[in-house]
Amino acid sequence: MEVRRVVLAPGESYELRLTGRGARGYVWTWRVTGDEDAVSVAQGPEGEPDDALPGAAVERVYVVRARGVGGRARVRFAQVRPPYPDEAPYDEFVLDVQVDSE
């Protein structure tokens, strides 16, 4: 599991690219802990590259945006298969975010 730390100003965003395995039934989910109001997370635009082979791993983009309040939040991304909620994640990624107050 990789852990990355970033510092953002209010309103600033951080783009994270994670390799998808949708052909195998895996999707990335996320959960925010700590100062949950300090950040928002959204999945970026969808779209498969024109040259992607069927079943190939494709990057997924997630945008973490700092809100207007300071604080520290941890965003844990987990690659799971929704039909099997008790199965351990295939992969995990943690983003520690410090939001500097205005």
Side-chain angles (χ1 to χ4, degrees):
M1 170 174 51
E2 182 179 346
V3 177
R4 190 176 301 167
R5 291 171 175 76
V6 295
V7 178
L8 300 174
E12 189 176 10
S13 62
Y14 181 81
E15 191 174 279
L16 178 65
R17 295 178 180 275
L18 298 172
T19 301
R21 289 179 176 77
R24 296 185 187 138
Y26 287 93
V27 297
W28 283 103
T29 61
W30 65 85
R31 184 172 54 113
V32 179
T33 58
D35 297 325
E36 297 175 21
D37 292 338
V39 298
S40 64
V41 182
Q43 187 168 345
E46 289 292 323
E48 306 294 324
D50 293 335
D51 58 351
L53 298 173
V58 177
E59 278 190 339
R60 297 291 180 216
V61 178
Y62 299 89
V63 178
V64 178
R65 182 172 305 279
R67 295 187 174 168
V69 296
R72 291 181 185 268
R74 173 170 269 203
V75 185
R76 179 181 295 274
F77 291 88
Q79 198 170 43
V80 298
R81 293 192 300 176
Y84 307 100
D86 297 329
E87 188 177 86
Y90 179 83
D91 197 5
E92 291 181 286
F93 184 93
V94 173
L95 186 65
D96 283 332
V97 183
Q98 177 181 331
V99 178
D100 286 340
S101 59
E102 295 180 300

